[in-house]
Amino acid sequence: DAGVIQSPRHEVTEMGQEVTLRCKPISGHDYLFWYRQTMMRGLELLIYFNNNVPIDDSGMPEDRFSAKMPNASFSTLKIQPSEPRDSAVYFCASSSSSGRRNEQFFGPGTRLTVL
Amino acid sequence: GESVGLHLPTLSVQEGDNSIINCAYSNSASDYFIWYKQESGKGPQFIIDIRSNMDKRQGQRVTVLLNKTVKHLSLQIAATQPGDSAVYFCAEILNFGNEKLTFGTGTRLTIIP
């Protein structure tokens, strides 16, 4: 099992540019989560999906952030326009409602640096 | 300007000794708690969970204790090994049917060989 796959692993961009982070959840998982981790705020949930439908996006910082899940095997988190304060490690995680409840499997993360 | 980050509590333990990591959770109505381990450069990894109707749960070399009276959670790791060096997070869920995890700030555990 490949686990949760995220790309890119590292992204360096300039302020104002659009950034797209990608995630492939574990096959068969019906929940997908996007988290952000910073030294200032720790690990925060941004949004999560169930069966490709967004359930809770209350953690999304502002309108510059958007997330989509067009199918069960792919999700994107987009930041447009990016700002230096968006610099963080972004994690995608997935879980299964038929597995151990609330056991979320995390990907390796994408380290985003906005200059 | 200089940024102020979270001050991670740190714990250093001699290899082979037992360690106890503590966590104070915020919501007295939380129903479910999980401990995660995060190694450097990796995503968090599930260790063990406990529901609010329990006060103790044991796994392989790990034990979680829950004290709802003082909203305190602890993770005990027995016979620590170098691979236990990581940041440990407790996380809480308000309702067992809810998938939304709220993570604590974490504790950095260092195992001294």
Side-chain angles (χ1 to χ4, degrees):
Chain A
D1 190 344
V4 175
I5 299 172
Q6 291 187 246
S7 65
R9 291 295 310 276
H10 301 274
E11 176 80 31
V12 180
T13 191
E14 293 187 342
M15 182 174 63
Q17 296 298 306
E18 177 180 296
V19 175
T20 300
L21 311 181
R22 297 173 175 80
C23 175
K24 177 178 168 56
I26 292 173
S27 177
H29 282 191
D30 51 348
Y31 283 91
L32 184 139
F33 306 81
W34 281 102
Y35 289 87
R36 177 173 68 176
Q37 187 173 39
T38 63
M39 285 299 296
M40 290 287 291
R41 301 175 66 90
L43 194 60
E44 305 172 277
L45 176 66
L46 301 177
I47 185 172
Y48 78 91
F49 296 81
N50 178 222
N51 292 321
N52 313 337
V53 176
I55 303 300
D56 187 335
D57 65 354
S58 59
M60 294 286 264
E62 48 198 272
D63 291 345
R64 297 184 298 106
F65 285 69
S66 63
K68 293 182 180 179
M69 192 165 186
N71 58 63
S73 59
F74 183 67
S75 177
T76 59
L77 177 68
K78 186 176 292 187
I79 308 172
Q80 165 65 16
S82 58
E83 297 182 3
R85 61 192 169 123
D86 301 330
S87 296
V89 180
Y90 290 81
F91 288 103
C92 176
S94 69
S95 67
S96 169
S97 56
S98 62
R100 188 206 310 264
R101 198 56 187 272
N102 299 113
E103 181 176 4
Q104 296 179 18
F105 294 81
F106 282 75
T110 295
R111 181 174 294 277
L112 173 65
T113 302
V114 183
L115 303 175
Chain B
E2 186 178 84
S3 63
V4 179
L6 293 172
H7 175 65
L8 273 185
T10 59
L11 177 65
S12 296
V13 174
Q14 203 72 37
E15 181 179 355
D17 287 352
N18 300 333
S19 68
I20 299 176
I21 300 170
N22 297 303
C23 174
Y25 62 91
S26 58
N27 195 329
S28 59
S30 289
D31 186 46
Y32 184 66
F33 305 89
I34 306 175
W35 279 99
Y36 276 84
K37 171 186 179 183
Q38 185 176 22
E39 296 176 84
S40 180
K42 297 183 178 179
Q45 179 182 13
F46 178 99
I47 301 174
I48 191 168
D49 57 356
I50 188 168
R51 286 200 67 179
S52 60
N53 61 355
M54 303 170 67
D55 53 21
K56 180 178 180 179
R57 187 153 191 237
Q58 287 186 291
Q60 187 176 17
R61 286 201 305 119
V62 294
T63 300
V64 55
L65 299 177
L66 175 63
N67 185 331
K68 294 182 288 293
T69 303
V70 294
K71 294 190 290 184
H72 183 267
L73 198 64
S74 68
L75 177 71
Q76 301 177 359
I77 305 174
T80 53
Q81 303 167 357
D84 295 329
S85 293
V87 177
Y88 290 82
F89 295 93
C90 65
E92 60 188 297
I93 290 179
L94 184 59
N95 299 308
F96 185 63
N98 192 329
E99 302 296 321
K100 187 173 180 177
L101 288 174
T102 300
F103 282 84
T105 54
T107 296
R108 183 178 302 280
L109 175 65
T110 301
I111 307 302
I112 304 167

